[in-house]
Amino acid sequence: MTPSLNHVAIIMDGNGRWAKKQNQERTFGHFHGVEKVREISMAANDEGIKVLTLYAFSTENWKRPLQEVEYLMQLPAMFFSKYLKELMEKNIRIETIGDLAPFPDNTKKVLMNAIEETSHNTGMILVFAMNYGGRTEIVEAAKKYQSAVMNGSMKDPLTEINFEQFLMTKDYPPVDLCIRTSGEQRLSNFLLWQLAYSELVFTMTAWPELSVEEFRDLLKVGLSRERRFGGLV
Ligand code: V0D
């Protein structure tokens, strides 16, 4: 077993392109992407990862065609109807980061229900970034700091350390490794603050095609780099 990483983040890219390559609709790629979320989450749990954060829906994704967005909105319900039982058995806790307000009521209900049902689980935390944007998160954190100063609950000057208390990831360990699938080498507004010192690993493989074996290899690459450069940067 690979020695464990505390916090791994993944940009699950390439679903639409993977589908188009086989003359299928983009939604076909999203459907297979959901299956892969289950497979990789279980593998991460087996590897002893404490927190796995998945970029499921960015603030930019609203610009996609309406019917694609409508399809995506149904995926959390599909995911939990198939896998909530297994998540409970594996003691996995579900959480989200991002602003859930713009999601349809039913999607919100499904998410809140899964978060509530798994809230007493003590194993791996599976965090879905939903309508998440890194710059928005930092601006919102600055606003929270400002309110805390105004209401008197914050008396200390702002530092990098206490600023983290206003981020949506405040309860999670630092991100050790961020993986992006499907060839692009960009952060695309994902976890901007949190990835400042993280290892970044990229693979050409599209998300629906990422195997557990390759995932484990990517973890090893991240871990070996962390070991080599840890504390020296
Ligand atoms: C499509 C690849 C699982 C990325 C994975 C609403 C694009 C499949 C979820 C999910 C999506 C989200 C929250 C949750 C449980 C499951 C998901 C979206 C897209 C956007 F609590 N896969 N998945 N959500 N895709």
Side-chain angles (χ1 to χ4, degrees):
M1 190 155 112
T2 317
S4 82
L5 293 152
N6 283 320
H7 190 169
V8 174
I10 309 181
I11 302 173
M12 307 181 288
D13 197 12
N15 303 279
R17 260 175 293 157
W18 174 81
K20 283 290 168 197
K21 258 198 193 150
Q22 345 178 28
N23 286 312
Q24 299 281 353
E25 295 300 319
R26 290 173 56 82
T27 51
F28 176 84
H30 298 321
F31 178 85
H32 285 275
V34 177
E35 307 288 304
K36 196 54 71 174
V37 169
R38 182 239 155 224
E39 195 181 342
I40 297 296
S41 300
M42 295 309 166
N45 184 55
D46 292 342
E47 292 293 331
I49 289 168
K50 308 270 190 305
V51 181
L52 179 68
T53 300
L54 302 178
Y55 207 2
F57 197 87
S58 79
T59 49
E60 299 304 297
N61 287 157
W62 297 109
K63 294 174 186 161
R64 292 187 180 174
L66 181 61
Q67 62 137 30
E68 185 178 341
V69 171
E70 281 174 349
Y71 183 84
L72 290 168
M73 292 303 133
Q74 299 167 28
L75 296 182
M78 183 194 291
F79 181 79
F80 291 123
S81 68
K82 287 183 177 173
Y83 307 129
L84 187 57
K85 186 163 169 279
E86 189 179 10
L87 293 164
M88 290 303 292
E89 285 163 5
K90 300 254 164 86
N91 198 24
I92 294 171
R93 195 178 348 154
I94 300 293
E95 296 190 356
T96 61
I97 55 172
D99 179 14
L100 296 184
F103 286 106
D105 284 344
N106 188 57
T107 306
K108 274 189 280 207
K109 217 171 74 187
V110 161
L111 292 169
M112 297 321 288
N113 179 63
I115 292 167
E116 164 66 25
E117 282 221 21
T118 62
S119 63
H120 299 293
N121 290 352
T122 55
M124 188 181 81
I125 307 175
L126 177 55
V127 183
F128 288 96
M130 298 283 284
N131 188 34
Y132 172 88
R135 288 185 176 181
T136 300
E137 180 190 32
I138 293 169
V139 170
E140 289 305 312
K143 290 184 191 166
K144 282 185 212 158
Y145 171 75
Q146 185 181 35
S147 310
V149 171
M150 304 261 269
N151 74 23
S153 63
M154 180 58 147
K155 296 193 171 62
D156 304 326
L158 191 55
T159 66
E160 288 187 18
I161 299 295
N162 65 31
F163 187 67
E164 299 201 336
Q165 295 312 302
F166 301 101
L167 295 171
M168 293 185 281
T169 52
K170 63 181 165 52
D171 297 325
Y172 310 140
V175 180
D176 302 293
L177 167 66
C178 179
I179 296 169
R180 182 170 187 152
T181 59
S182 203
E184 307 293 346
Q185 304 195 356
R186 293 192 291 270
L187 295 184
S188 298
N189 208 15
F190 188 43
L191 300 175
L192 294 181
W193 177 282
Q194 296 85 347
L195 296 180
Y197 293 104
S198 311
E199 301 302 334
L200 308 176
V201 175
F202 302 95
T203 174
M204 293 304 294
T205 309
W207 175 251
E209 288 209 300
L210 182 69
S211 67
V212 168
E213 292 68 33
E214 188 185 357
F215 174 62
R216 290 206 197 99
D217 287 343
L218 297 172
L219 296 180
K220 274 185 209 145
V221 170
L223 202 64
S224 66
R225 283 195 206 160
E226 196 178 48
R227 286 240 181 80
R228 247 176 313 140
F229 299 110
L232 294 179
V233 271

